[in-house]
Amino acid sequence: NKLGAITFEASAIVFRIMHASFMPAIGVGQATATMVGKSLGEKNIKKAEASIIEGIRGSVFIMGGIGLLFILFASYIVPVFIDENLPYYNQILDKAVPCLIFVGFLQFLDPIAITIWFSLTAAGDTKFPAVADLIVNWYVFVPLLLIAGNCFPQYHIWGPWAAFGIQLILLTLCMVSRVRQGKWKTIEI
């Protein structure tokens, strides 16, 4: 149907833009993981903690900056990714722009989860990030998508995007909670 195709196209465009934006956080996360692993190998817990904090600060600065661009300039960014000859160009634009603005706000959370995920993995705490990701995705995100699509179809594009936001918030909270617990400091590899 027409509405489904427009919603799909708008979401695909936003995901395409978003995927390019989180690559710097992955790089910072990997660099942070190297520093955390090295510091723990030297038995320097304080340096490992400082590396995580600085890694988060750097990745939030980069991705948050990109997110700010999404928030302020979404109406200029999105059209670059849409073929203006598409028959539903304006409807796609009308749906994709607010979604990219929403993603702009999520850009301040995503780098925290990414950086901590890499840091925990470097510390040898590989099971927790994997299980947390699995639980949040399969037992929260997917059911919310199904509920949004089947029970609240009137929200069209916003139901799935809200589910994505909730998934990201929960994953970030899980990662922050795990770092604060400190179990990663004592894992022997």
Side-chain angles (χ1 to χ4, degrees), residues 17 40 57 61 63 80 88 96 105 108 116 125 139 147 162 180:
I17 296 167
L40 290 175
R57 187 184 327 232
F61 179 77
M63 269 186 78
V80 173
Y88 306 114
F105 287 103
F108 291 90
I116 293 174
D125 194 357
Y139 295 107
I147 291 167
R180 287 189 171 190

Side-chain angles (χ1 to χ4, degrees), residues 58-189:
S59 61
V60 168
F61 179 77
I62 295 167
M63 269 186 78
I66 295 169
L68 196 56
L69 292 175
F70 290 171
I71 292 165
L72 297 174
F73 302 109
S75 60
Y76 298 102
I77 296 169
V78 170
V80 173
F81 294 87
I82 305 174
D83 180 0
E84 61 188 37
N85 296 320
L86 286 173
Y88 306 114
Y89 173 83
N90 288 329
Q91 291 107 320
I92 294 168
L93 190 64
D94 289 344
K95 286 187 177 288
V97 167
C99 288
L100 187 61
I101 291 168
F102 177 71
V103 166
F105 287 103
L106 294 178
Q107 296 285 95
F108 291 90
L109 283 177
D110 202 11
I112 297 168
I114 291 169
T115 304
I116 293 174
W117 189 93
F118 279 105
S119 299
L120 289 173
T121 302
D125 194 357
T126 57
K127 188 186 279 186
F128 180 84
V131 170
D133 216 0
L134 179 104
I135 290 170
V136 170
N137 282 305
W138 286 102
Y139 295 107
V140 177
F141 181 53
V142 171
L144 284 177
L145 285 174
L146 292 171
I147 291 167
N150 294 320
C151 300
F152 302 102
Q154 69 271 24
Y155 294 115
H156 304 292
I157 200 166
W158 286 108
W161 280 102
F164 176 70
I166 291 167
Q167 178 261 350
L168 190 56
I169 290 166
L170 289 175
L171 187 60
T172 302
L173 290 173
C174 287
M175 295 297 128
V176 169
S177 172
R178 186 63 169 195
V179 164
R180 287 189 171 190
Q181 287 174 356
K183 292 180 181 179
W184 59 274
K185 299 174 189 177
T186 59
I187 295 173
E188 293 290 327
I189 299 176

